[in-house]
Amino acid sequence: MNPFSSGTRLRDMIRAIRACKTAAEERAVVRKECAAIRAAISENDQDYRHRNLAKLMFIHMLGYPTHFGQMECLKLIASPGFPEKRIGYLGLMLLLDERQEVLMLVTNSIKQDLSHTNQYIVGLALCALGNICSAEMARDLAPEVERLLQFRDPNIRKKAALCSIRIIKKVPDLAENFINAAASLLKEKHHGVLLTGVQLCTDLCKVSTEALEYFRKKCTDGLVKVLKDVANSPYAPEYDVSGITDPFLHIRLLKLLRVLGQGDADASESMNDILAQVATKTESNKNAGNAILYECVSTIMTIEENGGLRVLAVNILGRFLSSRDNNIRYVALNMLMKAITLDSQAVQRHRATILECVKDSDASIRKRALELVYLLVNESNVKSLTKELIDYLEISDPEFKGDLTAKICSIVEKFSPEKIWYIDQMLKVLPQAGNYVKDEVWHALIACEQETLVRVAVWCIGEYGEMLVGNAGMLNQEDPITVTESDAVDVVETAIRRHSSDLTTRSMCLIALLKLSSRFPSCSQRINDIVVHYKESLVLELQQRAIEFNSIIEKHQNIRSALVERMPVLDEATYSGRRAGSVPAAVSTSQGAPLTLPNGVAKPTSAPLVDLLDLSSDDGPALSSSGGDFLQDLLGVDLSPAATQQGGNQAQKSGTDVLLDLLSIGTPPAQSSPSTADMLSSVQDNQSSVDILDKLGSPSGPPPQASPPVGSSPMMDLLDGFGPVSSAPVAENNGPSYPSLVAFESSSLRVTFNFSKQPGNPLTTLVEAQFVNKSPNAFSNFIFQAAVPKFLQLHLDPASSNTLPASGNGSITQKLRLTKQPAREETPCNAHTDRL
Amino acid sequence: MIRGVIVMNDRGKPRLVKFYEFQPAEKQQELIRSIYRVLCSRAENVSNFVKVDSLFGQDVRLVYKTFATLYFVFIFDSSENELAMLDLMQVFVEALDKVFSNVCELDVVFNFNKVHTILDEFILGGQVLETNSSEVVKTVEEISKMERAANSIKVVPSIPGWQGR
């Protein structure tokens, strides 16, 4: 006899397999065994069939194919001995399934075994049938099973009951046959049979409405009584689980009552008492008690309305929420989600506890709690809830942040009482978890009416487009969001096409598009198309930009990237210092300059003054006079130096326009040359833009050397990247002398300021103002007044005269003394900065 | 209904596998591996319930408990009470304990078909059959007695197969 044949005992094979150190070894052993078994099968070996099948089952559990052993199961089942039958049935259940044709062959054996004298064999047959019978088998063997429902031995009765369940599931038509027998099972005393009987009834009700009706009418009261008996029964050790008698039976009964009570008022009526009793009397300090309570709550929620019971149920759930056991909390949160559709008020009372669960350490509980909170939100509690959620957002895990952000965004969107609040919340969320905020949210944000935010968003996208797409600069724990280039272009396009976008926003969008066209070469064509569309715009501003940008995109690829190069990083300290210093242009649509002249022309003339003064105090004597030249150029509308440059200058000019617009916020470019003046001067004084020029390497004008940074308005800092506004004419770097400045010139009046500083006193600037009357009429009672920002102190000397002769025949001079105060850090402006 | 019962050790090796809804063999192994992955990543103090929609379909959960080096996993759908499943697992393990006297992993390994028999006394066709561990132990002992009797008779092959109570 082959020593490796089925002579190996099961135990030894298992040992051999366990001794294998590698998967390959194990495969080898298994293969050898399988070969031996196959040989034995083909020889029709009787003696070891039993053992071989056991081995096959073990091998099957490890995951190896064992289909060649299926017929062996059948042979074993057909053999007379109990052990063979047992192994045969076991193998049948593990190795075969109902889809196999081979199963039909077993039907006859099973039929015989169902009538066997040995009840354990009957049990085996029922077990196998209950696990894998097919529809045909069910039809064939149903009568046998039905008969067995009344067998003398309770073990067989209960198995028959569960087997019937499978039968009626496979062949629902047979359900009627089982109704009566099932009803009589409900009167059983044996818990096992009762349990399975209840289960059978429950499934009968699910499968057949006739059964449902029958049970509802005839059995509800009986069931209520049974539940009462079980609940009140004295201590029964064999069914006791943690002090409660047969919790499984409790639960099954409650389930059946639920099925019967659903949709039927009478049935629900009759079970109210027992439900109340179970709900109040069951102890909840053990899992078994909680299981019963959970089922009870579930039933109460499903049957017909009873206010008192419902409140009771929700309170039980609330108690569950405070349990220390994670399982109970999880289960309670689940149930509350269902409860909220029925009785939202009651659940609202537990809002605080639910919020606590959002912060739980268990991830499944957190998720559930968050969903529940989402369902709880309504107009009255949205603010407090959102505040809590946002607070938690800061400290939550990265994996959870995504979910949390999405939920917060949708809550805020749906329920925000005012737009302002909506924006506030979003602004709080974005710094925490901006990366998780999905595109739709961005779009929604853009769709809201706050123009400024839109502008900032558009600017950011333009400026940092490639960082967005490349996921640069993200924190380690954050998941990368996939923003494609076209996504970014989409967003800007949305903004530009919106009806409610005003001129400024659209202009900013165009600039952003220009930047993106340089940063995302693949989208260049598409961007060009969008831009071309605006070439026919009826709005001058947009048309001009569109034409210029279009020409850049199409003809001047080589300088495009230099033109729209990213703005260099802002130096925080100087930035906030300047912000403190320069009140005039602020990001919000606040009023313009504080300086007015008595003639009633409001203009931010102080700005250049301020800038130059600021410069003088910060950085000592080196002052670029290019400011003055620049102003003169523009004021005199003499753009010849600019004009001699290539088309690249076009962009610069339009960049100027952009800045103009932005500062004056809506004022068309035609007027207010003073604002041009201040803005340009401030811009060109920014060293960084000069650097840009350096790289431009424009032929006209020498590159500026060490142009000192001048105080620039905050807006200017932001917008520097918009274009190399400081064109070449800026180039000269004059010495420390301060050129005179024509502060105002109109057809009737010219005001010139001459600056000087006292040698030992850098904080003070002396200004000599000279007024010349160009008009044919003399001005009498001419008074010059000046107002300065807080950090300056002004001292006006009396003017030389009050009458200004006509046609430039004379002039009035007046001396002003301006002293710079030490800069103060805390100003409202700073707060503004933080917000954004 | 209960979809399946799996007992595996803490390395992921299956010790008992029973699915109450047919799954082909490869799928079974795949499911076992996926479940093992899920269980490995669970921390110490989290709840014992895990949603496994992705593996088994809608609304299917599993509950697991660790006893010594074994994970006991019951997979069930929404028609079962979760907390009751925990109790059922407890009762099952108690029965194992009584039958094998202080059961350990090796007992399960070498006697897997007996463990199957015990399980079949608790769950039939995905439904809970019995919840009393002593009842089950009684039945299993009867069966073992019968087996022993049958096998001892076998030694004398001339007597035909013994059948009796």
Side-chain angles (χ1 to χ4, degrees), chain A residues 416 493 667 810 820:
Chain A
S416 56
E493 195 179 341
T667 331
K820 187 170 186 217

Side-chain angles (χ1 to χ4, degrees), chain A residues 718-770:
Chain A
L718 273 181
L719 299 171
D720 273 340
F722 267 43
V725 177
S726 36
S727 44
V730 143
E732 304 95 327
N733 185 11
N734 292 352
S737 66
Y738 308 117
S740 61
L741 178 67
V742 177
F744 176 77
E745 181 151 29
S746 73
S747 51
S748 49
L749 179 69
R750 182 168 67 232
V751 180
T752 316
F753 287 158
N754 293 313
F755 306 94
S756 61
K757 272 197 191 264
Q758 290 174 336
N761 206 350
L763 287 178
T764 310
T765 310
L766 296 174
V767 185
E768 198 184 57
Q770 194 178 39

Side-chain angles (χ1 to χ4, degrees), chain A residues 154-170:
Chain A
N155 281 329
I156 299 297
R157 284 206 299 274
K158 68 185 187 190
K159 287 192 175 136
L162 290 187
C163 195
S164 318
I165 293 181
R166 186 166 172 108
I167 291 178
I168 59 171
K169 276 198 181 146
K170 288 282 163 199

Side-chain angles (χ1 to χ4, degrees), chain A residues 316-510:
Chain A
I316 293 177
L317 289 177
R319 252 197 351 255
F320 274 4
L321 276 184
S322 337
S323 155
R324 268 178 303 141
D325 187 340
N326 282 341
N327 299 327
I328 310 267
R329 281 208 298 258
Y330 180 83
V331 142
L333 285 171
N334 256 343
M335 184 106 289
L336 279 171
M337 284 181 62
K338 291 185 211 148
I340 203 168
T341 50
L342 300 167
D343 189 351
S344 158
Q345 274 306 96
V347 183
Q348 290 281 358
R349 253 178 268 138
H350 299 281
R351 208 168 57 227
T353 337
I354 297 173
L355 266 177
E356 280 311 305
C357 288
V358 176
K359 304 174 191 156
D360 198 277
S361 47
D362 181 335
S364 1
I365 290 185
R366 274 205 298 263
K367 266 191 151 154
R368 279 257 167 272
L370 185 60
E371 280 170 38
L372 192 52
V373 166
Y374 184 64
L375 289 174
L376 276 178
V377 169
N378 60 32
E379 281 78 24
S380 53
N381 59 24
V382 64
K383 284 203 174 161
S384 51
L385 273 179
T386 319
K387 180 172 175 323
E388 293 272 340
L389 288 175
I390 292 183
D391 288 339
Y392 180 56
L393 186 59
E394 289 176 46
I395 50 176
S396 62
D397 287 339
E399 317 87 62
F400 196 48
K401 262 198 175 149
D403 283 340
L404 194 49
T405 318
K407 284 284 187 302
I408 294 179
C409 293
S410 49
I411 289 177
V412 168
E413 219 175 298
K414 271 207 315 204
F415 289 104
S416 56
E418 313 99 27
K419 273 287 178 322
I420 289 283
W421 182 80
Y422 172 39
I423 304 292
D424 278 346
Q425 305 308 311
M426 291 308 292
L427 287 177
K428 281 190 207 151
V429 169
L430 286 174
Q432 310 286 353
N435 286 320
Y436 297 96
V437 175
K438 300 203 180 25
D439 282 342
E440 311 84 66
V441 181
W442 269 113
H443 286 194
L445 203 48
I446 282 185
C448 79
E449 304 297 307
Q450 285 277 350
E451 285 299 324
T452 347
L453 194 56
V454 177
R455 289 178 202 156
V456 173
V458 164
W459 183 83
C460 285
I461 293 179
E463 190 71 2
Y464 300 116
E466 76 264 20
M467 284 179 75
L468 200 61
V469 170
N471 280 324
M474 297 189 51
L475 304 175
N476 290 340
Q477 311 105 304
E478 290 171 341
D479 305 320
I481 44 162
T482 40
V483 178
T484 61
E485 298 177 350
S486 57
D487 282 345
V489 178
D490 283 344
V491 173
V492 181
E493 195 179 341
T494 317
I496 201 176
R497 287 193 201 278
R498 262 189 339 150
H499 291 303
S500 42
S501 287
D502 68 3
L503 175 61
T504 318
T505 316
R506 286 187 209 224
S507 322
M508 287 182 70
C509 288
L510 280 173

